[in-house]
Amino acid sequence: LSRLPEPNMGDLFFDIEGDTFVGRHGLEYLFGLTYIDNGEQKYQGIWSTSPQKEKADFKELMEVIHKRVHDYPQMQIYHYAPYEPGAIKRLAQRYSLFEEELDILLRAGKFIDLYGVARHGVRCSVEKYSIKDLEAFTGYERKIDLDEMIVHKRALEHNLELNRFEDINDVMKDAVMLYNQDDTDSTLALRDWLEKLRKEANDSGEEILRPEVIDGQ
């Protein structure tokens, strides 16, 4: 729990939907962010439903992150498991975009993997530590049933893999976006639950420190 930085109003909660079987390199087709704006929890999804759009949409994502860091220098980007920073590094190298800015974010430790925090910091009565299993403890309730969502997700990815981009409809996209929002919202709920456990441990006499703040330069 000492790996948890101080919560900040600018924090982002990040999840990517990707398909490794699209084209030559795969496709990161949905970037999702949950954040707090004027005290209200909001979500932003950035779609990339063709390889030709991926570069522009990655640029939009990095501009959103860069502005958030400018407005809230102590903010962090929370994710679950290592996929998200790995995908961001691949895209930055592939398109030669925001490479220096991303290096600074990485050196500053801005990406916080809550899977590592939960796995090493909490003993839970579940078979595996997926974010969905931990929702039994965080109290998060999903907006879309997983069995309903998977039908639309498979159909959307099938069309991506066959270059049938025109066959992707709003029903598929709405279901996948709601699933992505569930994951980003659940990441926020998990961070708050871990912070609650950290406070309880501190209140009981433990001394749990915060990680050192580094500027990344």
Side-chain angles (χ1 to χ4, degrees):
L1 296 178
S2 62
R3 292 161 61 179
L4 289 171
E6 191 75 39
N8 185 278
M9 285 302 296
D11 288 338
L12 295 173
F13 301 86
F14 182 37
D15 186 66
I16 296 176
E17 306 301 329
D19 187 340
T20 57
F21 300 108
V22 178
R24 184 177 175 186
H25 303 290
L27 178 67
E28 313 302 341
Y29 63 82
L30 177 58
F31 305 107
L33 296 165
T34 287
Y35 57 97
I36 305 299
D37 182 28
N38 292 324
E40 182 181 352
Q41 184 173 320
K42 295 185 177 180
Y43 168 83
Q44 179 179 358
I46 301 172
W47 280 101
S48 240
T49 48
S50 74
Q52 293 73 29
K53 287 184 82 269
E54 188 180 56
K55 179 178 180 179
D57 293 324
F58 171 66
K59 181 175 183 288
E60 180 181 348
L61 169 71
M62 291 305 297
E63 286 172 345
V64 170
I65 293 175
H66 190 62
K67 183 179 186 306
R68 198 76 173 176
V69 173
H70 179 269
D71 293 343
Y72 302 92
Q74 302 304 318
M75 61 79 74
Q76 305 288 340
I77 304 165
Y78 293 86
H79 57 98
Y80 200 78
Y83 185 84
E84 278 68 28
I88 291 296
K89 285 186 274 189
R90 288 194 300 273
L91 292 170
Q93 290 178 331
R94 183 181 305 158
Y95 297 121
S96 298
L97 284 174
F98 288 92
E99 292 175 284
E100 183 177 350
E101 292 85 351
L102 180 58
D103 281 344
I104 293 172
L105 293 177
L106 292 166
R107 286 195 298 267
K110 289 292 188 185
F111 289 90
I112 307 298
D113 183 0
L114 291 183
Y115 171 71
V117 175
R119 183 168 175 265
H120 295 138
V122 184
R123 181 178 295 173
C124 295
S125 54
V126 289
E127 292 184 4
K128 60 184 185 297
Y129 276 57
S130 77
I131 195 166
K132 298 167 186 65
D133 288 302
L134 293 181
E135 288 164 4
F137 307 101
T138 66
Y140 182 77
E141 296 184 4
R142 292 193 162 248
K143 303 172 186 66
I144 185 168
D145 181 77
L146 294 176
D147 290 335
E148 175 189 347
M149 178 281 305
I150 198 65
V151 174
H152 299 296
K153 190 171 191 285
R154 285 175 179 163
L156 186 147
E157 292 182 354
H158 186 67
N159 286 321
L160 287 174
E161 291 161 17
L162 295 177
N163 296 326
R164 297 196 314 220
F165 309 121
E166 68 282 353
D167 291 339
I168 297 173
N169 58 46
D170 288 341
V171 175
M172 298 174 195
K173 292 176 68 176
D174 289 347
V176 174
M177 181 174 278
L178 205 54
Y179 168 71
N180 182 263
Q181 182 180 355
D182 271 333
D183 279 351
T184 58
D185 287 356
S186 185
T187 303
L188 169 56
L190 176 61
R191 194 283 305 270
D192 290 348
W193 180 66
L194 291 169
E195 281 288 334
K196 175 175 172 286
L197 296 182
R198 182 188 181 280
K199 183 179 185 303
E200 289 172 354
N202 273 328
D203 290 345
S204 69
E206 298 286 343
E207 184 182 8
I208 303 179
L209 303 177
R210 296 287 188 184
E212 180 185 358
V213 177
I214 306 171
D215 66 9
Q217 297 297 329

